[in-house]
Amino acid sequence: MKQADLDHFKRWFNRYVAQYHDLSGDGVKPILLKEQHTKRTCTEIVLVGRKPGLSGEDLLLAEAVALFHDIGRFPQWKRYGTFIDSGSADHALLGLDVVSRYKILARIPPEEQELICEAIRHHNLRELPTSLSQRQYLFSGLLRDADKLDIWGLVISELEGRGNLIETLAGYIPISDSFSRHIVAELKEGKVPDFSSVRNRNDMILLRLGWVFDLNFKESCRLVLERNYVDRLCDHLPVRSELQEVKEYLISYLKNCANDTS
């Protein structure tokens, strides 16, 4: 991909999203949230992608992947008034529909078009399928890491009182002093918990902590440690010995991954 292609895509993205800026009342706030999230994810994917030594053209392609990954969120919000896929439609598939309908990728080679579409298709799955090619896995993995890095930062800002959009992201979730022992057990086994186990805000925090097991690059692990994401999320959990054990295990896991020389 060339810089001129990415510049063209960014201009198109800005024009496309602008049509949603006229939603009445607070309806535009979630649109702005996703617009800002997209732009920050573009920054994150370049941060992560530089460390594996991607070429300049591949970094441009990675940024284009991030630019389009949530393009389906905008029609999703306007049509359904929610970002919850189970209560509306799969936003990845909505995004692929937007990309196809506008033929926005037509200017780049077919193999690059396919990489972008496959990354969009798989970015919100619980795990990546084993059928992906090496290049598809690379760009899908980069996107999933960059997406998580920004969502962690956004959620932490919300929890620390610098926003009020958590329910927009995940719907109403009860606040409780309890937490799922099942999720805790999965975390101690190094597993990413399933959303079906979530019953309250503490469970949702634990679920998001479990995302560390789905990171694909050492640089992503290093950034999570550098930004103290685990500590800052755990600050909003009850003070319990088993939760302290989970925190210590997660931090140890991230340190091992970040320092892995294999």
Side-chain angles (χ1 to χ4, degrees):
M1 180 176 292
K2 307 300 182 185
Q3 184 66 53
D5 297 319
L6 181 60
D7 291 343
H8 173 79
F9 293 153
K10 287 182 176 181
R11 289 192 297 270
W12 182 90
F13 176 87
N14 289 334
R15 290 195 304 271
Y16 178 79
V17 176
Q19 69 182 300
Y20 295 94
H21 287 172
D22 61 357
L23 293 178
S24 60
D26 289 339
V28 72
K29 289 184 179 180
I31 294 296
L32 298 176
L33 172 76
K34 287 301 179 183
E35 183 177 7
Q36 293 157 6
H37 162 67
T38 294
K39 292 179 179 180
R40 290 193 304 267
T41 305
C42 288
T43 299
E44 298 284 16
I45 204 168
V46 172
L47 279 177
V48 177
R50 281 197 184 114
K51 291 301 180 178
L54 265 65
S55 68
E57 290 194 356
D58 275 353
L59 284 175
L60 294 172
L61 181 56
E63 192 170 350
V65 164
L67 184 70
F68 291 121
H69 85 282
D70 261 358
I71 199 70
R73 287 301 197 187
F74 304 102
Q76 181 187 39
W77 181 259
K78 185 174 183 179
R79 192 177 309 167
Y80 301 103
T82 182
F83 287 142
I84 303 172
D85 286 9
S86 60
S88 56
D90 184 331
H91 75 277
L93 298 182
L94 290 174
L96 290 173
D97 179 67
V98 171
V99 169
S100 174
R101 182 153 33 92
Y102 286 91
K103 297 181 172 56
I104 181 59
L105 301 180
R107 63 183 284 143
I108 61 176
E111 59 271 22
E112 293 185 346
Q113 295 183 40
E114 183 180 15
L115 282 171
I116 292 173
C117 288
E118 289 304 294
I120 293 172
R121 188 187 311 280
H122 299 118
H123 84 274
N124 61 334
L125 298 183
R126 189 177 180 190
E127 58 185 19
L128 288 172
T130 57
S131 59
L132 296 181
S133 70
Q134 185 175 1
R135 290 271 289 172
Q136 289 171 344
Y137 192 91
L138 170 65
F139 285 94
S140 294
L142 282 170
L143 174 59
R144 287 164 68 91
D145 282 19
D147 199 21
K148 288 180 179 67
L149 286 168
D150 187 66
I151 293 173
W152 272 319
L154 177 61
V155 168
I156 289 168
S157 293
E158 298 289 310
L159 290 169
E160 292 176 349
R162 298 195 296 274
N164 189 30
L165 286 167
I166 282 184
E167 291 181 7
T168 300
L169 291 169
Y172 173 71
I173 300 176
I175 296 176
S176 170
D177 290 333
S178 68
F179 55 91
S180 168
R181 259 66 184 184
H182 177 69
I183 292 179
V184 168
E186 287 188 305
L187 292 176
K188 288 182 176 180
E189 293 174 4
K191 297 179 180 177
V192 180
D194 190 83
F195 183 77
S196 62
S197 301
V198 171
R199 297 290 181 269
N200 57 45
R201 184 72 59 84
N202 292 332
D203 294 345
M204 181 59 78
I205 292 172
L206 289 168
L207 172 73
R208 287 176 171 140
L209 283 165
W211 288 352
V212 303
F213 300 123
D214 189 46
L215 292 174
N216 298 281
F217 296 91
K218 292 193 294 184
E219 180 64 8
S220 305
C221 296
R222 191 193 69 77
L223 288 169
V224 172
L225 290 168
E226 180 182 278
R227 298 171 184 178
N228 293 319
Y229 280 169
V230 172
D231 281 301
R232 292 166 71 189
L233 282 168
C234 287
D235 283 345
H236 299 277
L237 291 172
V239 179
R240 300 286 191 277
S241 59
E242 57 262 59
L243 297 182
Q244 178 65 25
E245 290 173 6
V246 166
K247 181 175 83 167
E248 292 172 358
Y249 177 69
L250 293 172
I251 291 174
S252 175
Y253 172 86
L254 287 165
K255 287 180 177 178
N256 287 336
C257 291
N259 295 322
D260 184 13
T261 57
S262 62

